[in-house]
Amino acid sequence: MQQWASDWYFMNAALLEAQRAQSIGEVPIGAVIVHDGIIIGRGHNVREQSQLATKHAEMIAIERACETIGSWRLEETTLYVTLEPCMMCSGAIMQSRIPRVVYGAADLKGGTVRSLYRLLEDERLNHFVRVEAGLMEETCSSQLTHFFRTIRARKKREKQQRRQHIDSTSS
Amino acid sequence: MQQWASDWYFMNAALLEAQRAQSIGEVPIGAVIVHDGIIIGRGHNVREQSQLATKHAEMIAIERACETIGSWRLEETTLYVTLEPCMMCSGAIMQSRIPRVVYGAADLKGGTVRSLYRLLEDERLNHFVRVEAGLMEETCSSQLTHFFRTIRARKKREKQQRRQHIDSTSS
């Protein structure tokens, strides 16, 4: 399979993980780790459900991949993730020696791969990551935009209902 | 208890965690998280034992602390760690909203709090951490130096033994 076709295929798998997060009310971010054409780790954001600050999609995918191959070194793998990694996840990518990262949407507020920093490409560190930014950017981005729009609409509706309830009981 | 006395006390608890790592052959790094004068999370480095790239002392302490209080927000806590946090752990500190970090030894090669970056004090991010660097620096640092010296000596001894074995079988 051509590189672009395989990247597209695995980013779709990451998007599926993001949908899983959304289905349980979590911010839809998903990740997969691929070695030799096979997914060896999957993860989606479960921060609210687990109430653990560390449970980002990439972190879970990295731990699952380490378990699959029985090593903390994820050499010759690619991480696909729907949103630009934060500081913690960039660090975990470096720690696990993942050589290639492909991400979809940019995170202008907290992204540390291109937006705020270029943490994966720091030549002072003992590992350097090849980065592919913006694959299926629109799809990844619109999934997040749609999620937050739905949340805002629901909150607005709940606020209106509360106000109506107060008006009806006070009149 | 005065701040300095309490800091000293909890850094000793982190050093004890580091000793636990050393006792199982791991690089001796330890961390504790304190809320209202009580340790709510402890952790020591178990990367080799677990074969998980994410299992740094701080990460484990953060997860334990989140479990203890049932929330991913570790507000009003202090993290004590024997070595300057790496990129991943700095990110986890930001993600869990820890407001204060006290560390011992500097990590000139991978530290991201003062050595390579000042990631905990980036005003563009939605969280800012107060940092106390170099508490009990010499004790924390010599624990690591001693560990690596012992490892190097053991490897040298093993190499000599292998050479002696080859010499004796070939003569």
Side-chain angles (χ1 to χ4, degrees):
Chain A
M1 194 158 32
Q2 293 284 320
Q3 181 76 72
W4 68 266
S6 121
D7 282 351
W8 184 88
Y9 177 84
F10 290 120
M11 186 56 90
N12 269 293
L15 277 160
L16 191 67
E17 281 299 315
Q19 278 174 24
R20 286 186 180 149
Q22 182 159 349
S23 71
I24 53 167
E26 298 275 357
V27 177
I29 304 163
V32 298
I33 294 173
V34 175
H35 173 70
D36 230 356
I38 293 164
I39 295 175
I40 58 166
R42 296 171 187 269
H44 56 266
N45 172 40
V46 287
R47 188 181 67 171
E48 298 301 328
Q49 197 180 53
S50 67
Q51 286 297 317
L52 295 174
T54 52
K55 292 299 173 206
H56 283 195
E58 300 95 310
M59 302 298 286
I60 297 167
I62 287 171
E63 291 194 351
R64 289 302 88 78
C66 289
E67 283 165 1
T68 303
I69 63 165
S71 169
W72 61 261
R73 288 182 192 83
L74 298 178
E75 285 156 3
E76 293 172 36
T77 62
T78 299
L79 168 76
Y80 296 84
V81 57
T82 56
L83 183 67
E84 182 182 357
C86 72
M87 193 188 291
M88 173 177 70
C89 296
S90 289
I93 289 161
M94 297 293 281
Q95 287 297 330
S96 55
R97 311 285 191 266
I98 293 173
R100 184 169 179 257
V101 167
V102 182
Y103 72 83
D107 179 1
L108 301 179
K109 286 182 183 172
T112 58
V113 178
R114 290 282 154 86
S115 296
L116 297 181
Y117 293 94
R118 294 177 81 101
L119 291 182
L120 301 184
E121 297 155 305
D122 185 335
E123 290 182 356
R124 295 171 301 175
L125 295 165
N126 63 354
H127 182 63
F128 189 90
V129 182
R130 280 183 298 128
V131 174
E132 193 88 42
L135 181 75
M136 300 180 68
E137 187 167 12
E138 215 174 293
T139 314
C140 294
S141 179
S142 69
Q143 196 181 32
L144 282 159
T145 312
H146 179 261
F147 174 79
F148 287 116
R149 198 175 288 152
T150 311
I151 294 279
R152 276 196 300 273
R154 200 189 62 206
K155 283 189 178 166
K156 195 177 169 185
R157 210 166 43 244
E158 285 171 355
K159 200 176 169 185
Q160 280 172 338
Q161 283 170 345
R162 274 200 302 277
R163 197 170 292 165
Q164 280 170 349
H165 179 70
I166 291 166
D167 288 348
S168 66
T169 51
S170 62
S171 63
Chain B
M1 197 162 25
Q2 293 284 320
Q3 180 77 71
W4 69 266
S6 120
D7 282 352
W8 185 88
Y9 177 85
F10 291 119
M11 186 56 92
N12 269 292
L15 277 160
L16 191 67
E17 281 297 317
Q19 278 174 25
R20 286 187 180 149
Q22 182 159 350
S23 71
I24 52 168
E26 297 276 356
V27 178
I29 305 164
V32 298
I33 294 173
V34 175
H35 174 69
D36 230 356
I38 295 164
I39 294 174
I40 58 166
R42 296 170 187 272
H44 56 266
N45 172 41
V46 288
R47 189 182 66 172
E48 297 302 328
Q49 197 180 53
S50 67
Q51 286 298 314
L52 294 174
T54 53
K55 292 300 174 205
H56 284 194
E58 302 95 310
M59 302 298 284
I60 296 167
I62 287 171
E63 292 194 349
R64 288 301 89 77
C66 289
E67 282 165 1
T68 303
I69 63 164
S71 169
W72 60 262
R73 289 181 191 84
L74 298 178
E75 286 155 2
E76 296 172 32
T77 62
T78 299
L79 169 76
Y80 296 84
V81 57
T82 57
L83 183 68
E84 182 182 359
C86 73
M87 193 188 291
M88 173 176 70
C89 296
S90 289
I93 289 161
M94 297 294 280
Q95 288 297 330
S96 55
R97 311 285 192 268
I98 293 173
R100 185 168 179 256
V101 167
V102 182
Y103 72 82
D107 180 1
L108 301 178
K109 286 183 184 171
T112 58
V113 178
R114 290 284 155 84
S115 297
L116 297 180
Y117 292 94
R118 293 178 82 101
L119 291 182
L120 301 184
E121 297 155 305
D122 185 335
E123 289 182 355
R124 296 171 301 175
L125 295 165
N126 62 354
H127 182 64
F128 189 89
V129 182
R130 279 182 298 130
V131 174
E132 194 88 42
L135 181 75
M136 301 179 68
E137 187 167 10
E138 214 174 295
T139 314
C140 294
S141 179
S142 68
Q143 196 180 32
L144 282 158
T145 312
H146 179 260
F147 174 80
F148 287 116
R149 197 174 290 151
T150 311
I151 295 280
R152 276 197 300 274
R154 198 188 64 207
K155 282 188 178 167
K156 195 176 169 185
R157 212 167 41 243
E158 285 170 357
K159 201 174 167 183
Q160 279 173 338
Q161 282 170 346
R162 271 199 305 276
R163 197 170 291 163
Q164 280 170 351
H165 177 72
I166 293 166
D167 289 350
S168 65
T169 51
S170 62
S171 62

